[in-house]
């Protein structure tokens, strides 16, 4: 089974109309979202055709990260928009229960405590049957001083809830307010910041069963390992940096074979989930291969140092292990 | 000849005393720096012993980046400290003219235009015989909104001067005011931001002979190439991202062999300068090799797909080409 653990919902045009109105009116007054089942279904069917074209059996759908509006004022916009997108994801999951699972967006808002996101997380997990959530390390979207790093107790209320539900969080920033740093690069930089903050903290002593996934191959960290190996050695301590990085999980949403090879070597294939974000940044034809950049299954199949079991772990088993709620109705 | 193009001055204790006083008094009143020749010489001799231990013939010395104080208020502190450090570098270069070259620190200050740095650049190049300079893309050190990206005309006054002098700039951030992002990681993230900003701009059309070096193997970019290949393809245009990255230069200050191999493959050995920053972040014994992490000469010598000429380019020729002022008194 091929599970794409990192994918984002394809929204119907009616959703964007709702967003446009929410942002323009600043949610005052609040319009009602009106999205007919036919539009929800058509958007999902377009996505299913894409999945079929590359052999993906199932996608885990979360909100499109850069369009999460985490720093748009006032907070009510973020809150309503997040709820709307989660509802669309839920409706698509209900329509195609063999092909989709829901990963919740959280209504994170600027430097507010993540406590404000717990009701929506609860709703998504308990009522909508979602299996995980996104976690944005910088909901200010670069507009002002970011909240403390993910290693800080600031985030513990959310971690406590994730552990209680036994659901993982996919660490993924949203937009970027700084012209010098497009959102697609901010994703990468925020991942590096998240890894270093988490691995320098006592989070995994306090929450030993917390499951966090760093997408896009872990930002810069697998490439910059030497730097942090040396840094960790100089600071002393009992664990090497290579041991530390295995406390986190990663995904394959990195569109170059040499980079994926480095990732597998550095963190181990038991720590990496298949993810392509198709259709997303990689949705363009690679002239060298004639396939889309985000068609990663053949790339992973061609890496010869991976065993058959390694590949099964990457494509399916690691994901099943991390997301127990995704398959609990299985025989 | 082995030229370490990325190295930082080792300062005598008297310099730190001067810095402590400058920061504490906020340069009001201004103390005078008193550093005897014997202290300058002793610091340099310690560094020479380290260079000899790893077979480095020459180091290009710049200020220690994280200690540049670019965001300490008021600007006068930065200005005096930069001038002091450049003077120490100059004195060490004068004492050991076969072993050191000077790379200037610039008194960049928060979001001020780089115009304010031109007099010190001029002094360093014309009077002190320096061969290049550092360039910090975020002199706010993360304390507030950063200046525009390096692709923005904001930076043109500095680029104009660099082209006029035919000297390269080494893109290197300084400190970090955000607890979640230690300076050593901010270096990496700022490099990624710099590359994407520059390659998305028309800087190299306006300044075709501008020479910019991205240290530490180019931040995250060589590892995240697939992402930016796809991004560039989707945006259209005539150049591929692989062509664009070769407008910049890079250095080997990345302490993992697999990462260096990826760098050489992606940007080409003709675009990479030997640099180790020894002693810096990599100044710790690697238990796997028994050598220091920053002892990179044997690492590069062991990469078997590099030809003898590739190695000579990396160790020496690329550097001579980029820094013509470093060797203009040669026979």
């Amino acid at each position: 089974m091929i599970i794409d653990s990192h994918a984002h919902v394809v929204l119907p045009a009616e959703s964007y109309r709702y967003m446009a109105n929410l942002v323009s009116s600043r949610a005052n007054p609040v319009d009602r979202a009106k999205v007919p089942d036919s539009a929800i279904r058509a958007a999902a069917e377009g996505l299913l055709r894409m999945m079929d074209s590359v052999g993906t059996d199932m996608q885990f759908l979360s909100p499109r990260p850069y369009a999460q509006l985490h720093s748009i004022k006032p907070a009510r916009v973020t809150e309503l928009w997040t709820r709307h997108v989660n509802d669309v994801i839920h409706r698509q999951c209900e329509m195609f229960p063999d092909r989709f699972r829901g990963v919740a967006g959280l209504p994170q808002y600027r430097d507010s405590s993540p406590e404000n996101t717990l009701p929506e997380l609860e709703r998504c997990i308990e009522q909508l049957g979602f299996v995980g959530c996104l976690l944005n390390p910088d909901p200010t979207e670069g507009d002002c001083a970011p909240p403390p790093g993910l290693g800080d107790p600031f985030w513990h209320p959310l971690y406590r809830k994730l552990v209680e539900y036994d659901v993982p969080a996919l660490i993924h920033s949203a937009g970027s307010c700084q012209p010098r740093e497009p959102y697609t690069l901010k994703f990468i930089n925020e991942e590096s910041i998240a890894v270093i903050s988490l691995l320098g903290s006592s989070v995994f002593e306090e929450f030993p069963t917390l499951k966090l996934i760093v997408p896009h191959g872990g930002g810069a960290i697998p490439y910059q390992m030497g730097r942090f190996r040396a840094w960790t050695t100089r600071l002393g301590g009992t664990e090497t940096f290579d041991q530390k990085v295995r406390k986190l999980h990663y995904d394959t949403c990195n569109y170059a074979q040499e980079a994926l090879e480095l990732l597998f070597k550095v963190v181990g294939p038991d720590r990496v989930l298949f993810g392509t974000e198709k259709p997303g940044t990689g949705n363009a034809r690679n002239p060298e291969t004639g396939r889309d950049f985000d068609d990663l299954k053949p790339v992973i199949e061609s890496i010869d140092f991976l065993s058959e079991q390694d590949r099964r772990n990457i494509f399916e088993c690691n994901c099943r292990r991390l997301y127990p709620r995704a398959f609990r109705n299985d025989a």
Side-chain angles (χ1 to χ4, degrees), chain A residues 2 296-304 306 308 311 315:
Chain A
I2 308 292
L296 288 176
K297 183 166 159 277
V299 175
I300 292 165
E301 283 169 342
S302 75
I303 297 178
D304 53 16
L306 295 175
E308 260 321 298
R311 286 198 194 96
F315 286 132

Side-chain angles (χ1 to χ4, degrees), chain A residues 16-46:
Chain A
Y16 291 113
R17 182 176 184 153
Y18 175 63
M19 186 218 261
N21 194 282
L22 262 182
V23 170
S24 307
S25 70
R26 305 281 167 159
N28 184 13
V30 174
D31 197 12
R32 271 195 57 230
K34 300 172 208 74
V35 189
D37 272 352
S38 58
I40 301 273
R41 181 177 294 273
E45 283 172 346

Side-chain angles (χ1 to χ4, degrees), chain A residues 86-152:
Chain A
N86 286 335
D87 284 342
V88 172
I89 292 172
H90 173 60
R91 288 165 74 184
Q92 292 185 336
C93 291
E94 293 273 291
M95 286 174 185
F96 301 97
D98 297 334
R99 307 299 301 273
F100 296 130
R101 292 291 181 274
V103 171
L106 300 180
Q108 296 182 250
Y109 183 66
R110 294 184 161 260
D111 57 358
S112 299
S113 160
E115 300 239 20
N116 78 311
T117 69
L118 301 185
E120 179 64 3
L121 178 63
E122 199 171 297
R123 184 181 82 94
C124 289
I125 303 293
E126 295 194 357
Q127 293 172 37
L128 308 187
F130 279 35
V131 302
C133 68
L134 298 182
L135 169 54
N136 177 2
D138 180 18
T140 77
E141 302 187 304
D143 189 42
C144 50
L150 291 187
D152 192 272

Side-chain angles (χ1 to χ4, degrees), chain A residues 252-269:
Chain A
T252 65
C253 199
N254 177 314
Y255 307 127
Q257 176 164 339
E258 323 88 82
L260 289 176
E261 291 177 357
L262 182 63
L263 174 67
F264 294 135
K265 284 180 193 164
V266 165
V267 308

Side-chain angles (χ1 to χ4, degrees), chain A residues 31 68 90 96 100 104 173 183 216 223 229 236 252 256 279 291 293 304 307:
Chain A
D31 197 12
Q68 285 188 104
H90 173 60
F96 301 97
F100 296 130
S173 65
Y183 66 82
H216 312 120
Y223 180 64
R229 283 174 185 140
T252 65
R291 294 190 309 265
F293 283 100
D304 53 16
S307 68

